[in-house]
Amino acid sequence: MTVEDSQRVRQVAEQVAAASSPDVRADIEALMSSAQKPGWLGEAGRAMNVRYGGVRALMNRDQPVEEGVDIGPPPVGDLETIVFAVGTPVFLVRNNAVDIDSAREEAKAWRRFLTDNATNLDRAMVSIGRVDVTNADRDYAGTAWVIDDGLVVTNRHVANLFAEASGTGFKFKIGFDARREIGVNIDFLEEFGNAASDEVKIERVVWVAPETGPDVAFLKLAPKSSPVGRLKLDLASEVPVRNLPVAAIGYPASDSRFSDQRLAEKIFGGVFTKKRLAVGNLLAADENRVTHSCSTLGGNSGSPLLDIGTGRVMGLHYSGTEFIENDAVPAAVLRRCLQRAQGLLQPPPNEEITVSEGDKSGSGSGGKVTFTVPLKITVELDTAALQSSLAGGPATAPSGPTIVMSATGSGPNPPSPSPISMPTKEQVFAAVRSARSLLANRDDVVAIKPGYRFENGEITDQRAVVIAVNRKLELGALESRGRTKLPDYIDGVRTDVTVASAQDLFGIDMDEAAKPSWHTNYKKRDDLPLTRRPVNGKFVIHTGPDASWPQLGLFLAKTRKSLVVAMYDFGATNVANGVLDAVKGQAETISMVLQMGGKVHDGDLTDAEAVGQIRDAKGSKFDFAPASVGRNGIFDSAYHIKVAVRDHNAMWLSSGNWQSSNQPNVAPLTNKDDEASALRLYNREWHAILEDAGLSKLYEDHILRDLEEAKTVTEAGIVSEQLVFLPANVAMDTLEAPQKPRYFQPLTGERTIDVQPILTPDNYIDVVLPFIQSAKSRIYFQNQSFNTRTVGDNYRRLLDALLEKQKGGLDVRIIFRSFGSEDRDVISNAKDYGFDTNKIRKQKNCHTKGIIIDSEAVLMGSHNWTTAGTGFNRDASLIFYDAEIAKFYEEIFLYDWNRIGPAKIDENLPPPVLAPSGGETAPPSGYIAVPLSIALGR
């Protein structure tokens, strides 16, 4: 920790206070304003001061400072100490119930809240225990809790203290006494002042997630009569929401890693390794990451993070930095991991493994060894493939002997299944489950999932067991690392080894994902009807990066009265300067709804910085609200709209945000210096500017209604979205034909256009479904997202309509955005849904969201093709029933289609990297930062 941490502590204290309920904040303010401070405050404050105050904390107040000497930030004050002590107190647990009176009396609001919700918490106590170990260098390893019948969950780093991979699974390590294994028990009591215990032995290590996956491990309890009330804890099904009051229940240890032991003594009252309940709030939360403010120590590893209001588990605590951040694995990820652990418990015990090697003639005879494990595995040469090769048949097998593995039931040495040339989906799913058991100890295997075999980067029709690894290696490189070749067949089903995707790293199983859900609290506005209408006036139809900023800059510069903006991301400095210049006068007003988030691109502003600049410049002339998204928000997961309305009579609508990737400060149509690089570096976008008072006022009124409604929802705020670093050094010639880029002049004019306005959640499905169904000859589809896996009912109607047209013989072509390691899953899912993958291509930097029908009509706007994007988020699009505009976009589509070529994947790419949670971290060299939800096509 560094001197700068004192500044971070202040920031976190402010965040904790802001996340707290009004009653808790009142307790903090009461103690701050009290003339008589309690004795503990001075002692804890001094410890905090020495810990975080840097050089200043060691100086006398009046001690002069030599010029040029950096003494660091001012010391931590009473406010920070009070916030952590009163805002995140720690309680004892006695007789499997929270002891309300054990926390500081100043934490009155928390004591009342726990009293009101004690039933939700107390019923969970008997299901949470301490992980005790024997024959080890310690007595205690962490916390675990009952997640399913006879199954407890803890952290990987806890299990690694006593478990290791072995054979086809995991085993207990040899202990201090090398003649015996380490023994593991869960004591579901271990309370302060209570000598009793309630121990249950751990009989098996079921599964420990690989280092690249979530920090999770599952252990099987030995059979034992459970006390009444010891039930599995329920996992929350809803996406966690920021500021939610939560409790971490576990066994905080006297942690030598805590930087100031005296300070730890003050916080935890000198009581360690006993069951404690620490309260706090969720500071950042989505389906991929949970950060909380509960006070924890090392022994809390594996603690459940409970929603105090419901008693359901929101996450599994796994790490923390004192007074800075605590992280937990979200319930959604736990549910997916639990399904994997449950699958590993299915094989019956006391089966046989048979390993046989056929003779070179392929007769099937040869040496054999049998030993007892939970599965029967047969390894043999694929003689059929060998004979085919000797006979001059197609050489499709990899170099080296083919390895065939099967996980069959009991019986007297049954033969291994013959290779299945075209396995069914059910056969592949069964083989995937077998493979997960057989390869559970391979730490180089990230995920195993159903999919298709790829040849030379292109998908085939053969279903396969897809084994995702950190990096593909040649056989010699594998052997040099002490690894064996992965099997070529599992239960007769071909395997295909690939580089792990982001969803693999995050533990999302392709065949066993939890049922997704979406929501919206939006109420449709009958007084603002989105009816099809004639639009009469000037128009500028254009594309990016060809004319993105040159046209938006001109649009903003013509502002005379007002600017009304609805936006997902706002960080490009050229756009920020353009907006400030557009409303620089005293009379101009600006209204804005913006989804607040972090910074994605180097050199851009954060959303908060962009808003701050406008607020500083315009003061009361700036009407602003953060977009309302999330579980209790108005929209599901994103305020994804990109619309600006100028002076009530002109509007700009786009597929692209106000970031540097969407609105780069380049002009390749007029500046030769930008020609070579613009198309390679920046996004393909579709934009439209329309000067029509009726249509502009319609969108303006909807945005202003969004603004007013967002102000009434307390949930709106900065959402720290999980980022993933994806490989960026994709050679352009692997995706796009090497040729001089072509740029397209905007289509301009002044006449009447037939236009259908679209907003989500209002009318996208209702309008776009018949739009697709109207196609007679061709549909050209170009969208950043093409999600055919996580599909809600209404979105399925769109996919089915598009698929029906393709199967009916129409020319249906699809372009989606390439995200490197994610492309394989997108293509495989589309094929599994029924789409012709020969008619699918992937494009680097594709960010448009367009559909062209029969060269006569075109849809353009911000709608991603996902369930949330088409039904539950806030998005805006337009349909132009206009042949001239449709042909303008069709020419651009065909240019992109012809230059990008067939959808081939690059198996030599490095794997994605999950970005560290919290703060802004620059991606490694050769990578770009992308929100995880976008990488997953959500």
Side-chain angles (χ1 to χ4, degrees), residues 422-437:
M422 297 299 288
T424 65
K425 181 183 292 189
E426 291 72 23
Q427 289 173 318
V428 173
F429 280 5
V432 165
R433 287 188 283 272
S434 297
R436 288 173 179 168
S437 297

Side-chain angles (χ1 to χ4, degrees), residues 266-429:
K266 297 296 179 186
I267 296 169
F268 291 91
V271 177
F272 300 104
T273 73
K274 302 297 180 181
K275 189 175 288 187
R276 305 294 293 272
L277 181 147
V279 296
N281 300 86
L282 297 188
L283 302 181
D286 55 36
E287 62 180 0
N288 304 313
R289 183 170 65 95
V290 171
T291 301
H292 64 94
S293 63
C294 302
S295 297
T296 63
L297 288 173
N300 280 106
S301 292
S303 294
L305 193 66
L306 301 183
D307 177 348
I308 297 175
T310 65
R312 289 194 289 267
V313 178
M314 306 303 297
L316 175 77
H317 172 80
Y318 67 89
S319 72
T321 304
E322 66 262 28
F323 311 116
I324 298 295
E325 186 173 85
N326 289 282
D327 297 309
V329 179
V333 177
L334 287 178
R335 182 175 287 105
R336 293 190 287 265
C337 293
L338 172 61
Q339 290 171 336
R340 175 170 294 187
Q342 290 168 329
L344 295 175
L345 289 171
Q346 291 176 357
N350 299 324
E351 300 273 345
E352 290 182 338
I353 284 186
T354 303
V355 181
S356 63
E357 182 179 349
D359 61 27
K360 294 185 178 180
S361 68
S363 65
S365 62
K368 179 180 297 182
V369 59
T370 301
F371 49 97
T372 300
V373 295
L375 293 170
K376 175 169 289 181
I377 304 172
T378 304
V379 181
E380 63 181 16
L381 285 175
D382 180 3
T383 54
L386 180 61
Q387 289 172 340
S388 174
S389 176
L390 293 174
T396 59
S399 60
T402 300
I403 299 177
V404 182
M405 302 184 73
S406 65
T408 63
S410 59
N413 304 327
S416 64
S418 300
I420 305 170
S421 60
M422 297 299 288
T424 65
K425 181 183 292 189
E426 291 72 23
Q427 289 173 318
V428 173
F429 280 5

Side-chain angles (χ1 to χ4, degrees), residues 505-519:
L505 292 174
F506 215 74
I508 301 173
D509 292 340
M510 294 291 289
D511 62 328
E512 297 176 334
K515 185 177 180 179
S517 62
W518 301 269
H519 89 284

Side-chain angles (χ1 to χ4, degrees), residues 180-236:
R180 296 184 293 117
E181 296 174 335
I182 296 175
V184 185
N185 299 291
I186 307 296
D187 190 337
F188 289 97
L189 208 55
E190 281 297 342
E191 296 176 350
F192 177 69
N194 187 349
S197 65
D198 179 16
E199 290 193 341
V200 181
K201 182 181 179 181
I202 294 297
E203 69 174 15
R204 176 183 169 191
V205 179
V206 178
W207 183 62
V208 181
E211 293 296 325
T212 54
D215 197 345
V216 174
F218 293 89
L219 315 172
K220 190 176 187 301
L221 295 169
K224 178 182 177 179
S225 297
S226 296
V228 175
R230 181 179 296 157
L231 303 174
K232 61 183 180 182
L233 301 187
D234 292 332
L235 296 176

Side-chain angles (χ1 to χ4, degrees), residues 647-667:
D647 297 340
H648 318 299
N649 58 21
M651 65 177 291
W652 171 93
L653 186 147
S654 174
S655 61
N657 300 298
W658 285 359
Q659 289 183 310
S660 58
S661 57
N662 320 97
Q663 288 290 335
N665 193 6
V666 298

Side-chain angles (χ1 to χ4, degrees), residues 747 751 753-754 852-858 880-891:
L747 172 65
R751 57 179 172 80
I753 306 172
D754 186 358
I852 307 163
I853 302 290
D854 296 338
S855 308
E856 295 176 354
V858 57
F880 294 108
Y881 292 94
D882 188 278
E884 185 182 22
I885 296 176
K887 290 175 181 176
F888 170 82
Y889 283 123
E890 183 176 280
E891 185 179 9

Side-chain angles (χ1 to χ4, degrees), residues 645-696:
V645 180
R646 183 192 70 209
D647 297 340
H648 318 299
N649 58 21
M651 65 177 291
W652 171 93
L653 186 147
S654 174
S655 61
N657 300 298
W658 285 359
Q659 289 183 310
S660 58
S661 57
N662 320 97
Q663 288 290 335
N665 193 6
V666 298
L669 285 168
T670 57
N671 186 348
K672 290 189 177 295
D673 292 340
D674 296 330
E675 281 185 7
S677 61
L679 194 59
R680 175 172 54 87
L681 296 177
Y682 305 113
N683 287 352
R684 168 65 82 210
E685 307 282 3
W686 290 3
H687 318 283
I689 296 173
L690 302 172
E691 295 187 8
D692 177 85
L695 186 65
S696 301

